[in-house]
Amino acid sequence: MAEATEKSLNFIEQIIENDLESGKYDGRVLTRFPPEPNGYLHIGHAKSICLNFGAAQKYGGQTNLRFDDTNPVTEDTEYVESIKNDVQWLGFNWANEFYASDYFEQLYEFAKKLINKGLAYVDDSTSEEMAAMKGTPTEPGINSPYRNRTIEENIALFEKMKNGEFAEGTHVLRAKIDMTSTNMLMRDPIIYRIKFAKHHRTGDKWCIYPMYDFAHGQSDSIEGITHSICTLEFVPHRELYDWCIDNLEIFPSKQYEFARLNLTYTVMSKRKLLQLVNEGHVSGWDDPRMPTISGLRRRGYTPEAIRDFCDRIGVAKRDNLISVGLLEFCIREQLNKIAARVMAVLDPLKVVITNYPEGETEILTTENNPEDPDSGTRNVPFSREIYIEKDDFLENPPKKYFRLAPGQMVRLKSAYIVRCDEVIKDENGEVVELHCSYIENSKSGQDTSGISVKGTIHWVSIANALQAEVRLYDRLFKVEDPGNEEGDFKDYINNESLQTITAYVEPSLKEATVGTRYQFLRKGYFSLDKDSTDTQLVFNRTVGLKDTWAKETGK
RNA sequence: UGACCCAUAGUAUAAGGGUAGUACAACAGAUUUUGGUUCUGUAUGUCUAGGUUCGAAUCCUAGUGGGUCAACCA
């Protein structure tokens, strides 16, 4: 039985198990999560985090958090802090917090070692000249005129680069590999460039910085990383990764690549997300419509739901586009279990219960969460005038409409059964008020009326209700795969992705604290936003409830 | 007209030469004081063509389709 429910291994886990079995690293498993601190983490990073931390955890290993900070121009400590916060929030603890910049001295020595082995040279060509000599994927490149400088000359020039004696862009250090390789990355890749930029950690100490390919693998190696897991676009880099490690004769970390996550109706590149932020299409990196970890957190997502999602989508090497519906399923599933139910009317219609005594307020008891027997009950006030949802009344109801209609009855959740007697309209024929009568002996829990109704609707007592701002979110883009559509991805932004309304919520919500998640009965899951004040509640809709009635009527 | 990676229901992901399974989505029904939840059931798949084999989703070859590679980004 245990075998039957056991989850199968993804291909990374299979590799680790094979290595464990063959004793390749003496049973050691050490992975790393290597973000560049130039943007906020998104759900795609969550997949990588769950994979890296998850695999290590599973096999008794550890994971380093390493910031790949080799480009001071785009990097910033603001991002470092947000990344650390997000990884922790997701529920993972790193063994060490490292920075590629910790290794700048060592990397510099590695570069000199390559020069001394005749495997690197300083090139004075302009970037245009270098591009011209590089060839194309189908045509080989040609050697740089500077390719055959002597070791001594190269050492001296590289030293001068380091000492700031050359202007930016005038010299680079290149690995001497093969300008005719079918792998463009092996055509004498640049490994060091000059940048007079202030680094977020090393300040002005350096004016030369290693390129990704000369930093990442060596950093892995220095840390003794056993399994360096990255996304598919790095497949062609693996040859260079191995070349560096081989020629430097250092610990052989191995790189493995998996397919990155793509989600429907959103974009997942830091460049595009940065654009949305900078151009004001969203309120910031943590806008609840963003696929960022901070956006999802503010939206009301839980770390458990995100981890569950990452677990369900699997890990493989083929390109994929995952339905955002799966993410929504994951958060609904968890929130169904943990979110307290409350009543909130988002689009109010006034109901007067004409046979209920004026001025009277009755305190009713209702369950906090039928899915959680330990969640207890709470009180809700009931009175003569209440709000119900506009779409819970229809003057001319279709067949199988279980809500309110002229002459029809419904149960008010945890209260009485009411019958609609009269429909009040304004001069435009718009329904503005309903007059109902309640069945006195139909009180919830002590119903002796013998009447059974098909529908139960939520409501709030007008005199006791609190006003709240509610932000209803929809998908940020109108098309499934905006990044792969013709033209600019921003042409596909959904301008109605945020709708702000005023809702009436039950008084118990006065005590709500930021981040607390609720189910607004029959409406969806909501959490209190940080924009709330003592006098103004602000709720974000995390996700709606599954609505089979809407689907039915939409057919 | 190159090299490399990939190809299993609508979407993902298993099956490591031996019964094509799981999840989400879809559909039908039951239960329900949330048209929620829960439960039951149904339909849908190995890119194509060859080859190896008693037996191929799995191994081989070719084709087709998709992706990646020509930043002093990572």
Side-chain angles (χ1 to χ4, degrees):
Chain A
M1 190 65 215
E3 284 82 359
T5 52
E6 203 172 283
K7 242 200 133 211
S8 54
L9 303 178
N10 64 50
F11 79 99
I12 299 282
E13 292 169 330
Q14 285 172 16
I15 289 166
I16 294 175
E17 288 204 357
N18 288 343
D19 290 345
L20 251 21
E21 211 165 303
S22 69
K24 193 166 176 185
Y25 303 104
D26 302 321
R28 204 166 57 83
V29 176
L30 182 61
T31 59
R32 100 269 93 111
F33 174 62
E36 184 189 10
N38 68 346
Y40 280 61
L41 259 27
H42 54 61
I43 182 82
H45 292 109
K47 177 179 181 181
S48 171
I49 291 167
C50 289
L51 215 207
N52 275 295
F53 282 87
Q57 232 166 274
K58 182 167 181 173
Y59 297 103
Q62 292 189 311
T63 305
N64 289 339
L65 173 62
R66 183 175 68 237
F67 290 94
D68 230 330
D69 55 351
T70 57
N71 184 4
V73 180
T74 56
E75 296 155 5
D76 195 273
T77 50
E78 176 202 346
Y79 298 121
V80 171
E81 293 312 311
S82 79
I83 289 167
K84 285 162 64 176
N85 183 40
D86 287 348
V87 173
Q88 280 173 325
W89 180 77
L90 277 173
F92 296 102
N93 300 304
W94 49 87
N96 301 100
E97 175 184 336
F98 288 140
Y99 294 79
S101 55
D102 294 340
Y103 313 131
F104 280 172
E105 201 69 52
Q106 172 109 56
L107 260 13
Y108 177 70
E109 294 304 318
F110 282 157
K112 286 203 292 195
K113 179 168 182 176
L114 237 39
I115 295 173
N116 281 318
K117 288 178 88 171
L119 292 173
Y121 62 97
V122 171
D123 197 324
D124 307 357
S125 308
T126 64
S127 61
E128 292 75 23
E129 287 166 342
M130 277 177 45
M133 289 186 282
K134 190 143 194 180
T136 70
T138 53
E139 302 163 87
I142 54 169
N143 289 165
S144 164
Y146 304 97
R147 199 173 198 261
N148 291 317
R149 293 219 247 229
T150 64
I151 289 172
E152 293 68 32
E153 196 181 355
N154 281 316
I155 287 286
L157 285 167
F158 188 46
E159 183 91 19
K160 286 185 175 182
M161 281 172 64
K162 184 203 177 200
N163 293 338
E165 293 176 38
F166 296 126
E168 246 176 62
T170 58
H171 298 72
V172 292
L173 184 69
R174 300 177 75 177
K176 190 192 279 190
I177 309 180
D178 177 7
M179 289 305 289
T180 67
S181 173
T182 53
N183 183 347
M184 297 294 287
L185 285 157
M186 299 300 275
R187 319 240 265 228
D188 291 9
I190 295 171
I191 57 178
Y192 260 95
R193 78 287 213 190
I194 300 167
K195 270 184 198 288
F196 290 95
K198 195 181 182 71
H199 188 277
H200 73 112
R201 298 203 96 217
T202 59
D204 295 319
K205 181 170 180 207
W206 296 88
C207 63
I208 55 171
Y209 292 92
M211 297 287 288
Y212 167 85
D213 287 301
F214 200 70
H216 199 99
Q218 285 91 317
S219 300
D220 285 342
S221 180
I222 290 166
E223 293 174 21
I225 299 297
T226 56
H227 303 266
S228 179
I229 304 165
C230 62
T231 48
L232 246 34
E233 59 278 23
F234 291 96
V235 168
H237 291 255
R238 190 175 60 232
E239 193 179 356
L240 182 51
Y241 182 105
D242 291 338
W243 184 92
C244 288
I245 282 176
D246 286 349
N247 287 291
L248 260 10
E249 299 160 77
I250 53 180
F251 177 79
S253 297
K254 289 290 174 194
Q255 174 183 303
Y256 303 97
E257 312 87 9
F258 69 97
R260 70 188 315 155
L261 166 68
N262 295 296
L263 247 199
T264 55
Y265 299 102
T266 192
V267 289
M268 206 72 87
S269 93
K270 276 198 271 186
R271 201 194 91 247
K272 291 187 177 117
L273 294 174
L274 181 64
Q275 254 183 83
L276 292 174
V277 172
N278 285 345
E279 296 172 18
H281 296 105
V282 294
S283 65
W285 285 100
D286 70 345
D287 186 300
R289 291 166 293 182
M290 292 280 274
T292 51
I293 303 301
S294 51
L296 291 166
R297 176 167 58 231
R298 192 169 173 193
R299 177 93 171 234
Y301 273 78
T302 61
E304 291 85 350
I306 293 174
R307 279 190 258 121
D308 180 38
F309 171 74
C310 291
D311 208 45
R312 285 168 184 272
I313 58 177
V315 177
K317 298 189 76 151
R318 83 182 85 128
D319 293 319
N320 58 80
L321 178 60
I322 308 252
S323 164
V324 71
L326 183 61
L327 218 209
E328 293 174 344
F329 165 83
C330 292
I331 189 60
R332 277 196 197 104
E333 186 181 56
Q334 197 200 0
L335 259 19
N336 176 51
K337 286 184 237 153
I338 64 166
R341 273 60 171 171
V342 293
M343 292 200 282
V345 173
L346 304 186
D347 189 11
L349 174 62
K350 185 177 174 182
V351 172
V352 178
I353 300 163
T354 51
N355 60 340
Y356 195 87
E358 251 171 276
E360 186 168 321
T361 301
E362 194 175 346
I363 302 301
L364 302 171
T365 304
T366 186
E367 72 245 320
N368 285 324
N369 186 349
E371 300 297 314
D372 177 6
D374 299 327
S375 65
T377 60
R378 71 181 185 289
N379 295 327
V380 286
F382 180 79
S383 65
R384 191 170 194 265
E385 298 192 344
I386 61 172
Y387 283 134
I388 66 167
E389 218 61 67
K390 235 178 213 145
D391 65 6
D392 282 339
F393 170 80
L394 233 40
E395 200 172 11
N396 300 301
K399 267 222 152 24
K400 294 216 267 185
Y401 182 78
F402 302 145
R403 284 111 98 146
L404 216 46
Q408 226 164 277
M409 291 192 283
V410 279
R411 156 85 54 192
L412 296 175
K413 173 69 181 174
S414 297
Y416 299 92
I417 293 172
V418 293
R419 179 185 23 241
C420 176
D421 302 319
E422 197 181 342
V423 181
I424 316 290
K425 298 180 183 175
D426 65 10
E427 62 274 15
N428 302 320
E430 204 71 32
V431 176
V432 292
E433 189 175 315
L434 261 27
H435 286 182
C436 294
S437 49
Y438 81 115
I439 314 298
E440 241 176 283
N441 59 352
S442 69
K443 186 166 171 174
S444 192
Q446 47 205 82
D447 184 348
T448 56
S449 70
I451 300 169
S452 83
V453 290
K454 275 291 221 181
T456 299
I457 64 173
H458 61 279
W459 52 275
V460 292
S461 163
I462 294 178
N464 307 279
L466 268 27
Q467 280 194 20
E469 177 178 325
V470 172
R471 298 173 181 170
L472 303 172
Y473 300 104
D474 196 359
R475 35 194 60 146
L476 233 194
F477 291 90
K478 291 181 286 195
V479 294
E480 274 209 328
D481 196 4
N484 278 319
E485 208 73 35
E486 288 293 313
D488 190 350
F489 77 100
K490 285 175 288 167
D491 296 343
Y492 301 94
I493 289 177
N494 173 13
N495 294 316
E496 277 123 52
S497 58
L498 168 60
Q499 191 195 350
T500 303
I501 61 169
T502 299
Y504 295 85
V505 304
E506 64 169 71
S508 71
L509 252 16
K510 197 168 178 36
E511 315 299 331
T513 53
V514 171
T516 310
R517 303 173 181 91
Y518 297 93
Q519 182 192 114
F520 287 3
L521 219 63
R522 302 206 302 136
K523 284 284 138 189
Y525 296 99
F526 295 75
S527 79
L528 194 71
D529 190 78
K530 64 179 185 186
D531 286 349
S532 298
T533 64
D534 289 343
T535 54
Q536 176 69 73
L537 293 168
V538 180
F539 287 98
N540 295 315
R541 181 172 66 193
T542 308
V543 66
L545 252 32
K546 217 167 107 186
D547 191 348
T548 49
W549 173 246
K551 199 155 63 178
E552 188 76 21
T553 53
K555 274 184 193 168

